[in-house]
Amino acid sequence: MAARAVQTHLTPEEYIALERKAIPDAHTVRSEYVKGEIIAMSGASREHNLVSNNISGELRSLLKGSGCETYASDMRVSSPLTSSYFYPDVVVVCEEPRFEDDVFDILLNPTILVEVLSPSTEAYDHGEKFSHYRHLASLQEYILVSQDKVLVERYRRPKKHETAPVTAQDWIFTAFQALEDILLLTSIQCELPLQEIYERVTFPD
């Protein structure tokens, strides 16, 4: 979850130095970085945490022994072409992980990125953040999950031979809106039932 803050513009090096200095302090608010602008990460709700943990836990189990790695919340992802850094809620990487430097806390080649939406970040995650993620050549699927209703949106990078209707600069869009639905993650050949994604989550009337 992110909220824009008025900040003096920083260089990428200054941002990384500040973030790494803040890591030992559990009370320090993490920040994303978009073209020099700091975007503070706000606290997550119970529902947000449940959904994120359900997804990361299920994927970790499904991918056991596959060679893929799953990270939850704290793995920073870089978009080098746009000089930006983000903290996705869940990250999957199935190639040999590549990192920006030898600290190994900035991933360059995610296969799947998952963001759990909130009212304050929904437009940002659908729009500006996705525009940065699309620059990542390794990224195959971008998953957006609502926390206050049953809705999972999947954007999948099409293979060259596919001609299905596409959106968001030629990414194929599919929405899942029932607990009986199953999210198929084609890039890793995994099925994730929405009942598992929303386990123990209650929705407003």
Side-chain angles (χ1 to χ4, degrees):
M1 302 175 68
R4 289 194 179 277
V6 178
Q7 296 281 346
T8 301
H9 278 217
L10 301 176
T11 66
E13 294 77 15
E14 290 170 332
Y15 160 75
I16 293 300
L18 285 173
E19 285 292 291
R20 286 175 174 167
K21 183 179 179 181
I23 286 175
D25 184 355
H27 300 291
T28 300
V29 177
R30 293 177 307 164
S31 299
E32 296 186 331
Y33 176 88
V34 179
K35 296 181 178 179
E37 182 181 0
I38 295 294
I39 302 176
M41 306 288 289
S42 59
S45 67
R46 172 181 178 270
E47 289 75 19
H48 185 285
N49 281 309
L50 283 171
V51 170
S52 296
N53 291 336
N54 288 344
I55 294 171
S56 62
E58 287 297 312
L59 288 176
R60 188 174 296 109
S61 177
L62 290 168
L63 293 171
K64 187 175 181 179
S66 70
C68 297
E69 295 182 4
T70 303
Y71 310 115
S73 300
D74 290 331
M75 176 57 74
R76 195 182 300 108
V77 169
S78 171
S79 174
L81 290 178
T82 62
S83 299
S84 301
Y85 297 86
F86 303 95
Y87 286 99
D89 290 305
V90 181
V91 180
V92 176
V93 56
C94 289
E95 301 173 345
E96 182 68 24
R98 293 188 290 108
F99 296 92
E100 188 166 279
D101 55 29
D102 59 5
V103 182
F104 305 113
D105 62 351
I106 303 172
L107 184 69
L108 299 176
N109 61 327
T111 303
I112 296 174
L113 296 175
V114 179
E115 296 285 0
V116 179
L117 304 176
S118 67
S120 63
T121 65
E122 184 170 355
Y124 171 60
D125 289 340
H126 274 100
E128 183 176 359
K129 185 175 281 191
F130 189 22
S131 73
H132 292 281
Y133 285 162
R134 289 199 299 270
H135 287 284
L136 299 169
S138 65
L139 185 65
Q140 298 302 308
E141 293 178 277
Y142 180 46
I143 311 300
L144 296 159
V145 184
S146 296
Q147 61 174 298
D148 57 0
K149 60 185 173 183
V150 178
L151 176 61
V152 177
E153 300 168 275
R154 182 190 69 186
Y155 289 90
R156 180 171 64 85
R157 190 189 298 272
K159 295 180 175 61
K160 292 183 179 180
H161 67 273
E162 291 181 311
T163 58
V166 297
T167 60
Q169 295 186 357
D170 295 340
W171 287 63
I172 297 173
F173 173 77
T174 308
F176 304 86
Q177 302 181 70
L179 285 175
E180 296 74 24
D181 288 344
I182 296 177
L183 169 63
L184 174 60
L185 298 171
T186 58
S187 61
I188 56 175
Q189 293 301 299
C190 286
E191 295 183 350
L192 196 55
L194 267 65
Q195 288 183 343
E196 300 293 341
I197 292 175
Y198 288 108
E199 184 181 7
R200 297 185 61 82
V201 176
T202 56
F203 303 103
D205 294 335

